[in-house]
Amino acid sequence: MTLHKGGSGTGRPATGRPVNPFYGEADPVSGMTEAPPWHKLPDGPVSPHTAYQFVHDELMLDGNSRLNLATFVTTWMEPQAGVLMAECRDKNMIDKDEYPRTAELENRCVAMLADLWHAPDPAKAVGCSTTGSSEACMLAGMALKRRWMRRNQDRYPTARPNLVMGTNVQVCWEKFCNFWEVEARLVPMDGDRFHLDAASAAELCDENTIGVVAILGSTFDGSYEPVAEICAALDEIQEHRGWDIPVHVDGASGAMIAPFLDPDLEWDFRLPRVASINTSGHKYGLVYPGVGWALWRDQESLPEELVFRVNYLGGDMPTFALNFSRPGAQVAAQYYTFLRLGRAGFRAVQQVTRDVARSMAERIGALGDFRLLTHGDQLPVFAFTTADDVTAYDVFDVSRRMKERGWLIPAYTFPPHREDLSVLRVVCRNGFSHDLADMFLKDLEELLTELRRQTGPLERPANVATAFHH
């Protein structure tokens, strides 16, 4: 999580400030007279109504999550799901003996995903829920490293393990390599190739490669990486060099899109070299944050020594996680969503989302001011930049001015070797309808009339050169 310094930000005067008398619970003239301090505990309690009002009012300054076109995270669920989550928020997922039905729902979700992702034997696939894809990726990386260590006991720890991936990976993979002392071998972008390709991945592999990470949809532009081609290239390496290099598919978003909209695309456990897959239940799994899932092809893919068996609260509990306590609400909501939609329901929801993305991309491309990098036909996500002849403004001007109208759309530069390319990206999620897309396009068209009259892009301080924090 983001680190914050104690007391940072604009401080409230120590003497306190007068407060709205109507914050008082019953009598508006006998309630609180001063607002509580910001950066230290108040001297005494306040009424629940007053505490709520202070927090509620401050949170009004946040952006509207439904208009946030930067996030992949689910921002709308049915009211019944919200009620179910409220009923389960006090249940600690780790207390599996005390909450056996919550644990059973987790097991059912793992079995459903194993079947959805074509595990050779779904009954033998192993998996778990996590706090999100970041934790799931960490667990998958740990399994890759431990399997490599077991195969190379005669050389480790002298030899340094490495992990091959594209420079477009989510930052959690760079964290993994840093925290677990693995060399990150990043394939840079090249020209119009904005993600990992098979040849580049194979070129960086050697006997110390613990695995290759393939992303089923890049957060930079929504494109799928060619998982099957990467696996085929690694098959050739094993045939000629003897290196058996597994693949982990980071399907944070695409693993809940492709099974329903691209069923013939082979990216999952149908490919024997795919050892593990993760996804975010709180993205296109259609659940509020935060829940992720990590699955392994079989028990051999997850070294047993990584699984802790804890005698906790009277039961033997196998666990593989970086944390311990967390609420069971998101797991219950995930099972609710699987039960509620089924395959046909998921297909319908994701198809509408992709249709919205493709329609928006086509209409933005038709404006003439922009050049599309992707079209929303893989993930319901597309990226675009200003056309070559546009000199009056840049993507950062568009992002800033659209924010004035309530729309949160990120502008950012691409990583090496395409730092020269700055783009806008739109993420379409369930709940972002064609009607909202029409409103977005109307605001954008009106804004362009103003931006075209600028003499040039507005200057930005170097430390805020991007509005996108990947």
Side-chain angles (χ1 to χ4, degrees):
M1 66 175 64
T2 304
L3 296 177
H4 298 279
K5 296 180 180 179
S8 61
T10 303
R12 175 173 283 153
T15 57
R17 293 180 177 177
V19 68
N20 187 340
F22 281 96
Y23 279 13
E25 190 73 9
D27 183 353
V29 299
S30 65
M32 293 184 65
T33 58
E34 290 186 356
W38 278 347
H39 299 126
K40 66 177 182 178
L41 286 173
D43 293 333
V46 299
S47 71
H49 167 82
T50 303
Y52 167 82
Q53 196 66 50
F54 274 114
V55 178
H56 172 80
D57 287 355
E58 188 158 350
L59 290 177
M60 287 194 301
L61 297 176
D62 275 346
N64 186 329
S65 63
R66 292 285 300 280
L67 302 183
N68 183 357
L69 303 184
T71 184
F72 285 78
V73 173
T74 295
T75 55
W76 182 88
M77 291 188 75
E78 293 173 311
Q80 293 87 341
V83 172
L84 190 62
M85 294 182 74
E87 293 173 349
C88 298
R89 62 191 172 197
D90 59 343
K91 295 182 180 180
N92 190 356
M93 269 292 300
I94 207 66
D95 299 346
K96 297 187 185 299
D97 275 4
E98 284 65 34
Y99 306 119
R101 303 320 299 171
T102 302
E104 171 61 18
L105 297 188
E106 181 185 25
N107 289 337
R108 292 180 191 176
C109 288
V110 168
M112 289 177 175
L113 290 171
D115 178 65
L116 184 68
W117 296 339
H118 299 95
D121 185 351
K124 293 183 179 180
V126 292
C128 60
S129 65
T130 62
T131 50
S133 268
S134 293
E135 183 187 8
C137 291
M138 297 281 182
L139 299 180
M142 290 166 60
L144 291 174
K145 182 180 179 182
R146 187 58 60 92
R147 289 177 62 194
W148 176 85
M149 289 167 55
R150 288 169 60 182
R151 293 196 305 264
N152 295 273
Q153 294 181 19
D154 57 328
R155 298 190 306 113
Y156 185 80
T158 303
R160 186 185 183 192
N162 65 73
L163 183 66
V164 174
M165 49 197 167
T167 191
N168 57 306
V169 291
Q170 214 273 351
V171 69
C172 66
W173 285 107
E174 298 181 58
K175 288 183 179 179
F176 164 76
C177 291
N178 187 2
F179 295 166
W180 274 272
E181 298 181 330
V182 173
E183 177 191 356
R185 293 191 172 178
L186 299 173
V187 175
M189 295 181 176
D190 183 24
D192 291 333
R193 177 180 59 75
F194 303 126
H195 58 223
L196 185 67
D197 69 314
S200 300
E203 187 176 348
L204 290 183
C205 291
D206 60 24
E207 68 274 15
N208 295 326
T209 301
I210 65 174
V212 174
V213 175
I215 306 175
L216 199 74
S218 173
T219 58
F220 277 90
D221 62 0
S223 60
Y224 293 163
E225 292 187 339
V227 182
E229 295 177 15
I230 292 170
C231 288
L234 297 178
D235 289 342
E236 292 186 14
I237 286 179
Q238 183 174 8
E239 181 180 352
H240 295 98
R241 306 297 296 270
W243 305 331
D244 184 10
I245 301 172
V247 167
H248 172 80
V249 177
D250 183 347
S253 295
M256 295 305 296
I257 294 289
F260 306 109
L261 302 187
D262 310 296
D264 295 330
L265 179 67
E266 292 192 345
W267 62 272
D268 53 16
F269 290 128
R270 284 172 288 184
L271 301 170
R273 194 161 293 278
V274 173
S276 51
I277 302 171
N278 72 275
T279 197
S280 292
H282 62 228
K283 293 180 181 174
Y284 291 104
L286 308 181
V287 173
Y288 287 138
V291 61
W293 299 92
L295 266 70
W296 289 264
R297 168 182 293 275
D298 48 38
Q299 293 182 354
E300 294 181 0
S301 299
L302 177 60
E304 174 63 25
E305 63 265 26
L306 290 177
V307 180
F308 280 79
R309 300 188 178 277
V310 184
N311 182 3
Y312 184 66
L313 297 180
D316 177 64
M317 180 191 64
T319 177
F320 184 37
L322 298 180
N323 61 359
F324 206 62
S325 296
R326 57 188 173 91
Q330 285 79 7
V331 168
Q334 184 72 84
Y335 184 70
Y336 166 87
T337 304
F338 286 164
L339 189 67
R340 168 79 171 90
L341 293 177
R343 287 179 180 258
F346 261 99
R347 186 177 303 111
V349 169
Q350 311 297 39
Q351 185 64 61
V352 168
T353 307
R354 180 181 279 180
D355 289 346
V356 171
R358 294 178 67 177
S359 173
M360 285 187 71
E362 181 178 354
R363 293 167 67 184
I364 288 174
L367 292 174
D369 289 58
F370 302 105
R371 175 172 62 88
L372 292 170
L373 276 65
T374 47
H375 301 265
D377 53 352
Q378 294 183 329
L379 288 190
V381 175
F382 62 95
F384 57 101
T385 188
T386 49
D388 293 339
D389 59 348
V390 172
T391 59
Y393 63 90
D394 60 15
V395 296
F396 301 98
D397 291 334
V398 176
S399 176
R400 176 179 52 82
R401 293 298 306 277
M402 287 294 283
K403 189 173 183 179
E404 295 173 0
R405 299 170 184 240
W407 301 103
L408 307 177
I409 175 172
Y412 53 93
T413 55
F414 268 24
H417 293 155
R418 288 308 312 270
E419 298 97 332
D420 60 304
L421 180 60
S422 299
V423 305
L424 295 154
R425 187 199 64 196
V426 171
V427 177
C428 296
R429 303 178 307 280
N430 182 37
F432 187 76
S433 62
H434 283 286
D435 286 342
L436 285 173
D438 289 343
M439 297 178 194
F440 176 90
L441 266 296
K442 182 176 182 295
D443 283 345
L444 179 60
E445 290 178 15
E446 292 178 355
L447 175 63
L448 290 179
T449 303
E450 302 175 24
L451 290 177
R452 290 166 183 155
R453 292 198 294 263
Q454 291 185 180
T455 57
L458 298 183
E459 294 185 3
R460 305 178 310 278
N463 63 338
V464 292
T466 176
F468 175 59
H469 302 283
H470 182 49

